[in-house]
Amino acid sequence: MRSNKAGSGTPPQERDLELRATCARFLSHHRQKSVRETLAALARHPLAERLPDLYGRGGAVGELERRVVALLGKQAGVFFAKGVIAQECVARVYSEQRGSPYLALSPLGHIDFDEANGIEYIHNLRLVRLGRHAPFGLADLQQVRQRLAAVIVELPLRRAGFLLPPWRELERISAWCRDNGVPLHFDGARLWEAAAGYGRSLRAVAALADSVYVSFYKGIGGLAGCVVAGTRNCIDALEVWRTRQGAALWTAYPYALSALDGLDRHLPRMPDYVNRARALAARLRNEEICQIRPLDPAVNAFQVILAGAVDELKQRNRDFAARDKVWLFNAFFESPFEGHASAEIVIGDAADDYIDDEACGWLRRFQAMSGEGRDQATIRRRVHKPTARRPRKT
């Protein structure tokens, strides 16, 4: 018989969600709402009085598409429930139009790094990987010999520490694509943040690309979903692939309402979130509380490098949450630095509930916990237990 006690038989991820829900404050992202609070807020939205959309037509979904198209200055846009599917469809359309399977992108981009090679297995497309640890530039593109279906730039490049290519370099990439007749697509899951990081309007950033994907559940704080905006020809061609990949939901108004609410609440605050991230990063760097990457954040987010293994840091994060009722990090990642792992700090409206002095204090205490709470008998066993000699490097 399965026990009902908390933690027994429950997957670690679910236990973490339950523990996170008990916290009063959060270092990153936006304030947490319960399901009941979220649904009540959606019901109060003015557009909740409209009829539901039907397979994405009309209602709040239609209004969301129109608003994003206007913000980005594009001809048309279409809603997808899932960004992975949206960008696979964009890539497939460009491949068919250009008669080429080759896509140029960063190996650290979400499409290549996080999607289990779906774009290759499902659509048989070939990836031309440019750059390694930072966003690629014009010089990398000029070395490509394949006929490209499209060039894809992720703004910002999350796995590289949320880096943005310099603005002038982005303009050069755009000019190269147009001179060579190659479509340029922005993976703009965090385009709202990128525009604020550049200190430029959304239209100015989007104008450099032929098509742009924007997400609603990250910086905007929506439930899920995205919009792809571009030329009328591109968006019309996407419709059939959206149907083929099962991304046209019967109705999607909850997603659209939450996205519209997020645009109202968070989009105007993006410059403030960016400035707050830069100020906090400067404190952490100057006071040597932890290493950060990059030294000067490009957007409202950056990486921190922490001493310890991934599993150890996960448990320490849980212990800190249980004791202090503060949730620090959502995930930890392997780091190239021996004995260290990385995590992310992403500034949203949750930062309204603390000042930087408090955040620095949390991270100091978190770092100091590395030697606390260990069972002394376990430590003694580790000390006296013979260990295999590590093979000598050759």
Side-chain angles (χ1 to χ4, degrees), residues 163-234:
L163 285 177
L164 290 171
W167 179 255
R168 182 63 185 133
E169 195 67 15
L170 194 60
E171 289 182 319
R172 292 189 183 103
I173 291 171
S174 176
W176 183 93
C177 288
R178 288 177 182 171
D179 290 346
N180 289 274
V182 179
L184 175 60
H185 174 72
F186 284 165
D187 176 346
R190 298 172 176 84
L191 192 80
W192 326 106
E193 297 92 320
Y198 279 128
R200 298 178 183 271
S201 69
L202 286 163
R203 276 188 172 229
V205 179
L208 298 180
D210 298 281
S211 57
V212 180
Y213 146 76
V214 290
S215 176
F216 301 121
Y217 75 89
K218 299 177 178 69
I220 294 301
L223 291 175
C226 64
V227 161
V228 176
T231 64
R232 171 56 65 184
N233 178 55
C234 173

Side-chain angles (χ1 to χ4, degrees), residues 24-38:
R25 293 190 288 178
F26 307 85
L27 179 62
S28 289
H29 302 288
H30 299 307
R31 293 186 178 104
Q32 302 296 301
K33 291 182 179 179
S34 68
V35 172
R36 189 181 300 277
E37 290 170 332
T38 298

Side-chain angles (χ1 to χ4, degrees), residues 76-310:
V78 61
F79 177 85
F80 281 78
K82 185 67 178 173
V84 173
I85 297 175
Q87 298 202 98
E88 285 183 1
C89 291
V90 170
R92 181 60 180 259
V93 164
Y94 283 143
S95 175
E96 291 179 341
Q97 292 177 344
R98 293 270 298 161
S100 168
Y102 295 104
L103 301 169
L105 45 63
S106 169
L108 292 179
H110 195 282
I111 289 174
D112 193 22
F113 195 95
D114 294 289
E115 296 178 9
N117 305 104
I119 207 162
E120 296 168 288
Y121 280 99
I122 296 173
H123 296 282
N124 199 31
L125 300 180
R126 308 287 182 84
L127 303 185
V128 180
R129 297 172 173 90
L130 305 179
R132 294 186 64 189
H133 305 298
F136 63 83
L138 175 62
D140 299 299
L141 267 179
Q142 290 172 331
Q143 301 302 311
V144 175
R145 295 295 173 259
Q146 296 92 335
R147 173 182 169 82
L148 293 175
V151 173
I152 300 175
V153 176
E154 182 179 306
L155 296 176
L157 188 56
R158 176 194 177 187
R159 296 293 182 179
F162 301 92
L163 285 177
L164 290 171
W167 179 255
R168 182 63 185 133
E169 195 67 15
L170 194 60
E171 289 182 319
R172 292 189 183 103
I173 291 171
S174 176
W176 183 93
C177 288
R178 288 177 182 171
D179 290 346
N180 289 274
V182 179
L184 175 60
H185 174 72
F186 284 165
D187 176 346
R190 298 172 176 84
L191 192 80
W192 326 106
E193 297 92 320
Y198 279 128
R200 298 178 183 271
S201 69
L202 286 163
R203 276 188 172 229
V205 179
L208 298 180
D210 298 281
S211 57
V212 180
Y213 146 76
V214 290
S215 176
F216 301 121
Y217 75 89
K218 299 177 178 69
I220 294 301
L223 291 175
C226 64
V227 161
V228 176
T231 64
R232 171 56 65 184
N233 178 55
C234 173
I235 300 308
D236 286 347
L238 282 178
E239 293 282 1
V240 66
W241 278 107
R242 186 175 72 143
T243 299
R244 286 169 177 164
Q245 291 206 214
L249 301 182
W250 183 65
T251 191
Y253 63 85
Y255 302 126
L257 289 172
S258 69
L260 288 162
D261 177 64
L263 288 171
D264 288 338
R265 292 190 298 115
H266 298 300
L267 187 55
R269 298 196 61 190
M270 282 299 168
D272 296 332
Y273 296 155
V274 172
N275 291 335
R276 182 72 183 277
R278 289 171 176 167
L280 178 57
R283 287 281 304 272
L284 297 176
R285 180 185 68 240
N286 295 338
E287 297 178 23
E288 298 183 347
I289 296 172
C290 57
Q291 300 178 61
I292 66 168
R293 180 188 182 208
L295 294 179
D296 185 21
V299 292
N300 65 321
F302 55 94
Q303 291 180 352
V304 292
I305 312 300
L306 304 166
V310 167

